[in-house]
Amino acid sequence: VQEGAIMRDPPLNYPNPFKMSIGTFIGYWLNQNIGTELRIYTTTGSLAYQRSYTSGVDQGAKAGYNQIQLNTSTFGFSWPSGIYPYFILANNQIIGRGKLAILPE
């Protein structure tokens, strides 16, 4: 799977930067239904968040436009301010990437 082959354009998150209490959305277009996974890392490379999405069922894994909401409720607590790289994978290969910029509350 090559980046761009399944995902029409690179994913974008908005607003960015954002406050955890307000949250952000990661939006992207998929050319087909496919199981995906979102992984968010700390700047030191530790996995901070991981979630899988079922092909054709979950928002995040459907053909067409997908939008994933991230906020304090998603994670169960507020994350510290900073930059967090994220990756969207399909079949264990990266199909999209970006960075979240979290502002202090």
Side-chain angles (χ1 to χ4, degrees), residues 12-100:
L12 296 174
N13 61 291
Y14 53 91
N16 195 28
F18 66 98
K19 293 183 178 187
M20 284 295 291
S21 59
I22 296 170
T24 190
F25 293 91
I26 298 176
Y28 53 90
W29 288 86
L30 293 176
N31 293 325
Q32 63 191 48
N33 288 338
I34 190 164
T36 59
E37 183 179 355
L38 171 64
R39 293 183 188 170
I40 305 173
Y41 291 86
T42 65
T43 54
T44 59
S46 298
L47 183 62
Y49 180 78
Q50 181 176 0
R51 180 165 176 203
S52 297
Y53 302 91
T54 304
S55 176
V57 176
D58 294 329
Q59 184 62 232
K62 294 181 179 182
Y65 185 71
N66 291 268
Q67 190 176 52
I68 299 171
Q69 183 176 13
L70 302 172
N71 56 33
T72 304
S73 296
T74 306
F75 306 121
F77 60 94
S78 187
W79 286 13
S81 61
I83 305 294
Y84 295 83
Y86 67 85
F87 299 90
I88 299 170
L89 295 89
N91 299 323
N92 291 316
Q93 297 201 5
I94 297 169
I95 61 169
R97 65 186 85 216
K99 292 180 183 171
L100 304 172

